Amino acid sequence: MDRTLPMQFRPLEIPGLWLVELERLEDDRGFFSRLFCSDTFQERGLCASYPQWSVSFNSRRGTLRDLHFQAAPYEETKLVSCTRGAIFDVAVDVRPGSRGSWVGVELSADNRSSLYIPAGFAHGFQSLTDDAEVLYHISERHHPEAARGVRWDDPDLAIAWPKTEQRVISSRDQALPRLRDL
């Protein structure tokens, strides 16, 4: 492994999605890692400006936060990390001409990876543990009038969500449309 790189960028199945893995410098005290470096992101042509940071705390395993995004002209790039517990994180391509492909990865406090999600993708997750906490770095401020979403169980997407005894889903998310109805 190249010890000069502060982070490892692993391309995922859909172009534009990246799994950002930390390079740990370990010793007897624990480890030190660089979580983000604007220069490193810019060198790869990735978004390096995140004026809004948000956190989602999910007290119960099985909590599902549906597939949200913002419409033009307020599309968002997100850098998502799980700082406590574990989640199954999903990005769905909603760009014209390539609608509906999705990627899911496990993000956790243990693996400390982040998912880079460019504009044109809906994002959602399901908590795999109680007390899961998710940190979002978002390239665009929230604009309620541009908020959109897609149902988690849209049969056209056929997302392979982890099995759980009980899903916790908001009434707002349960009322979201299928992708084809946007």
Side-chain angles (χ1 to χ4, degrees):
M1 180 170 6
D2 182 353
R3 303 298 284 173
T4 64
L5 292 177
M7 295 162 264
Q8 301 296 317
F9 289 77
R10 186 163 54 97
L12 296 175
E13 294 81 20
I14 302 173
L17 290 175
W18 295 88
L19 188 64
V20 182
E21 299 171 321
L22 302 183
E23 174 126 356
R24 296 180 187 209
L25 302 175
E26 298 186 45
D27 62 21
D28 293 342
R29 300 168 292 175
F31 73 89
F32 178 85
S33 290
R34 183 174 292 174
L35 294 173
F36 175 80
C37 175
S38 61
D39 292 344
T40 303
F41 275 66
Q42 286 174 340
E43 287 168 5
R44 288 172 172 71
L46 304 178
C47 178
S49 176
Y50 299 97
Q52 182 173 307
W53 294 17
S54 299
V55 66
S56 171
F57 179 78
N58 307 277
S59 58
R60 292 178 41 202
R61 173 190 313 226
T63 297
L64 195 138
R65 304 242 180 202
D66 233 329
L67 303 161
H68 300 141
F69 64 100
Q70 285 194 165
Y74 303 112
E75 298 95 339
E76 305 165 308
T77 294
K78 295 179 182 176
L79 184 61
V80 181
S81 305
C82 183
T83 57
R84 181 176 182 186
I87 63 169
F88 179 70
D89 205 41
V90 174
V92 176
D93 191 343
V94 295
R95 297 173 293 185
S98 59
R99 298 167 64 95
S101 299
W102 64 273
V103 169
V105 297
E106 183 174 322
L107 301 178
S108 71
D110 290 337
N111 70 27
R112 301 188 191 275
S113 294
S114 298
L115 182 59
Y116 178 87
I117 306 168
F121 284 78
H123 169 256
F125 67 86
Q126 178 180 307
S127 59
L128 301 175
T129 63
D130 290 339
D131 300 328
E133 186 173 270
V134 181
L135 179 64
Y136 300 75
H137 293 76
I138 307 168
S139 67
E140 180 64 51
R141 288 166 181 80
H142 181 65
H143 295 271
E145 70 279 9
R148 304 288 188 275
V150 178
R151 285 188 59 87
W152 70 279
D153 60 350
D154 183 334
D156 294 335
L157 299 177
I159 296 172
W161 295 100
K163 295 189 185 323
T164 186
E165 292 176 21
Q166 181 180 9
R167 282 202 173 82
V168 180
I169 306 172
S170 73
S171 57
R172 175 182 166 246
D173 283 354
Q174 289 176 349
L176 289 173
R178 293 173 64 169
L179 182 61
R180 69 166 72 162
D181 297 329
L182 288 179

